[in-house]
Amino acid sequence: MAKLDEKIDGMYQEVLKRNPGETEFHQAVLEVLESLGPVVVKNPQYLERKIIERICEPERQIIFRVPWQDDKGKVQINRGFRVEFNSSLGPYKGGLRFHPSVYLGIIKFLGFEQCFKNSLTGLPIGGGKGGSDFDPKGKTDDEVMRFCQSFMTELYRHIGEHTDVPAGDIGVGGREIGYMFGQYKRITNRYEPGVLTGKGLTWGGSLVRTEATGYGATFFVNEMLKARKDSFDGKICTVSGSGNVAIYTIEKITQLGGKCVACSDSNGVIYDEKGLDLALIKQLKEVERRRIEDYTKTHKHAKYIAKGNIWDIPCQVAMPSATQNEINGKDAATLVKNGCIAVGEGANMPTTPEGVKVFLDAKIAYGPGKAANAGGVATSALEMQQNAGRDSWTFEFTEKKLEDIMVNIHNNCFETAEEYGAPGNYVLGANICGFIKIANAMVAHGLV
Ligand code: GLU
């Protein structure tokens, strides 16, 4: 672990004290603060104006009760969150996560990361995140609908096109966004597409939004490889997860000439030496909402490894696209030992601090989530642009914009890392580059 500058260490101790027990939030803050020593030396006004302390404190945190009835008529209670972290660059923007592990610390880590990620996109969006400890797994469509309606019955008063614009994350996709949009429209009596992103294509959604996080992460890795005079061509790749991010990562890797041999879900790993059959994965996960294990029902040659560890499978490119802290120090060491040369994070904070250190020490191409997976939220911002202009763009046009944004993020992180004397360190590049833009806007806005 890099040593924190003395003044910054004081700020970190304060974060620990003010936010007890929120370990993921502590981890996300520490990772950014470790990069900021040289920035405050160059810009002492950030210290005078307490920019770092202010960035670590969300502007607003909303916690609410979400009561709903299951199909048996039984009353269920969940907890809802929306953390509006930073609005210096635009309205709060970030997804909603529905997962039983959700508590304030998870939403705060995601909201904190989102601020820097959104800043890196170069688009006018601030940072926020929300969600619930509701578990959509095993629930019927009707139950999900009733939950979403109850969730929005509180959330609607806090959001808006110019205030806060939620979207999807783990457990929240097109179906959930649809139910929430319907309830928002009903309560407010206003058809306001700009209030949520990730909408359906016939009612204000953007082409490429579904694909954007996975495509964007793959474009980012492609740029890291290009910077090393390499490419995806013929590379063996593994992609953890099998949700939206994983599926479109596999699709883009394949289009760029790579071969994905493994993916996973929380129960186990699929290993298909011939290359994953993406059409089947889409059918299982997107249409039928089944477990990945069923892949082997039709593809007998493939292996299902119950409770397996996907990082034990040798690969040249690894793209963690499941959830936080899914690669620990040991996994990272295994990947490097097995010849992995690039890691691109489709998930948010999927690598533990020990794992990050292994990748940085090995000097492999390591693209941290807040840079590599920014394509999802960037395309949400493109959706907002289309909504504001009552327009809808073609797939090709929108995908090209996404690719340009990812190339730009890559180059900015790459150049910032060089400027600060750490060539090839995209962690440092992303943290500094994302921070400076927010910090300058905060200085300009005065003490608010
Ligand atoms: N949940 C996604 C993320 O982690 C996307 C958020 C959005 O589109 O607002 O960036």
Side-chain angles (χ1 to χ4, degrees):
M1 189 104 350
K3 222 173 108 39
L4 286 181
D5 171 285
E6 201 182 311
K7 288 194 197 74
I8 296 182
D9 186 51
M11 298 173 202
Y12 179 60
Q13 295 309 323
E14 197 57 32
V15 167
L16 293 179
K17 217 165 78 195
R18 291 170 69 82
N19 306 276
E22 298 175 358
T23 50
E24 298 82 1
F25 179 52
H26 303 161
Q27 183 184 334
V29 169
L30 180 58
E31 196 213 81
V32 171
L33 297 197
E34 279 173 351
S35 303
L36 298 184
V39 180
V40 295
V41 171
K42 271 199 194 173
N43 302 277
Q45 87 268 25
Y46 296 158
L47 288 180
E48 283 152 32
R49 289 164 204 255
K50 298 215 173 195
I51 296 295
I52 298 177
E53 292 92 326
R54 279 155 64 194
I55 281 187
C56 291
E57 183 72 17
E59 290 176 16
R60 189 178 296 111
Q61 307 183 52
I62 303 149
I63 305 183
F64 51 98
R65 178 172 71 201
V66 190
W68 58 283
Q69 266 181 313
D70 66 21
D71 285 349
K72 296 194 180 87
K74 216 172 123 206
V75 173
Q76 305 280 349
I77 312 286
N78 285 99
R79 187 171 286 178
F81 302 90
R82 187 72 185 167
V83 174
E84 298 180 333
F85 229 107
N86 194 296
S87 63
S88 50
L89 298 177
Y92 309 107
K93 180 82 199 86
L96 298 169
R97 176 175 293 190
F98 292 171
H99 191 271
S101 64
V102 164
Y103 76 107
L104 187 58
I106 294 263
I107 300 300
K108 274 162 74 176
F109 117 65
L110 290 164
F112 185 76
E113 290 261 311
Q114 198 81 46
C115 298
F116 302 95
K117 182 196 304 193
N118 294 5
S119 166
L120 285 171
T121 66
L123 299 165
I125 40 179
K129 203 87 186 193
S132 173
D133 57 0
F134 173 74
D135 187 359
K137 212 178 280 170
K139 303 287 190 299
T140 64
D141 272 2
D142 281 351
E143 288 175 326
V144 170
M145 180 181 74
R146 286 195 293 274
F147 175 80
C148 289
Q149 289 178 338
S150 181
F151 187 84
M152 186 51 89
T153 302
E154 172 59 33
L155 188 67
Y156 91 95
R157 65 185 91 246
H158 307 290
I159 61 176
E161 180 186 353
H162 301 292
T163 313
D164 184 356
V165 184
D169 195 82
I170 292 173
V172 177
R175 175 180 62 169
E176 291 75 15
I177 294 293
Y179 294 147
M180 287 191 272
F181 183 74
Q183 184 73 349
Y184 181 88
K185 178 167 70 64
R186 177 200 210 180
I187 295 173
T188 59
N189 193 31
R190 288 170 70 89
Y191 201 104
E192 283 184 61
V195 74
L196 289 171
T197 61
K199 297 180 295 295
L201 295 178
T202 55
W203 42 277
S206 173
L207 286 164
V208 194
R209 178 62 191 88
T210 306
E211 295 84 355
T213 310
Y215 278 20
T218 312
F219 286 140
F220 190 92
V221 172
N222 197 34
E223 292 307 304
M224 292 199 297
L225 291 170
K226 273 197 217 162
R228 293 170 176 233
K229 315 239 167 314
D230 205 341
S231 78
F232 263 110
D233 203 29
K235 295 273 183 311
I236 300 295
C237 309
T238 56
V239 180
S240 65
S242 49
N244 165 269
V245 179
I247 286 175
Y248 293 97
T249 296
I250 296 169
E251 184 161 287
K252 186 50 79 181
I253 289 176
T254 313
Q255 286 172 14
L256 294 179
K259 182 174 170 188
C260 293
V261 295
C263 68
S264 61
D265 64 16
S266 52
N267 293 355
V269 177
I270 286 290
Y271 175 62
D272 187 342
E273 211 179 0
K274 292 189 188 162
L276 292 168
D277 178 350
L278 188 60
L280 175 59
I281 297 173
K282 282 187 181 177
Q283 178 66 25
L284 288 173
K285 302 302 293 187
E286 292 186 325
V287 183
E288 298 172 21
R289 296 183 188 272
R290 280 161 59 187
R291 305 301 300 180
I292 201 70
E293 180 177 6
D294 293 347
Y295 186 96
T296 52
K297 287 207 168 121
T298 45
H299 289 43
K300 307 266 186 240
H301 64 275
K303 270 204 216 84
Y304 176 68
I305 314 155
K307 294 270 158 262
N309 183 351
I310 189 166
W311 312 122
D312 288 340
I313 297 171
C315 68
Q316 290 157 295
V317 178
M319 300 206 44
S321 308
T323 194
Q324 67 273 357
N325 292 331
E326 54 170 310
I327 298 183
N328 61 26
K330 194 172 148 282
D331 299 328
T334 307
L335 282 164
V336 170
K337 183 179 84 260
N338 286 341
C340 179
I341 56 157
V343 174
E345 297 184 337
N348 290 312
M349 206 170 74
T351 311
T352 65
E354 298 73 31
V356 173
K357 187 171 182 312
V358 170
F359 293 146
L360 293 179
D361 287 350
K363 296 204 177 317
I364 67 163
Y366 168 61
K370 62 173 84 66
N373 73 39
V377 74
T379 308
S380 278
L382 301 180
E383 183 172 330
M384 290 162 73
Q385 274 186 42
Q386 292 169 77
N387 294 153
R390 298 181 181 276
D391 201 356
S392 57
W393 305 338
T394 64
F395 193 95
E396 291 68 30
F397 180 80
T398 316
E399 189 186 14
K400 180 73 179 73
K401 276 198 176 268
L402 166 64
E403 185 173 4
D404 290 348
I405 291 166
M406 296 315 298
V407 170
N408 213 9
I409 296 175
H410 171 273
N411 294 346
N412 286 338
C413 295
F414 186 88
E415 283 157 21
T416 305
E418 301 233 302
E419 189 189 326
Y420 281 83
N425 185 336
Y426 292 95
V427 175
L428 195 93
N431 287 339
I432 294 181
C433 200
F435 171 81
I436 287 179
K437 215 171 133 201
I438 300 174
N440 289 345
M442 288 176 74
V443 169
H445 293 165
L447 187 55
V448 289

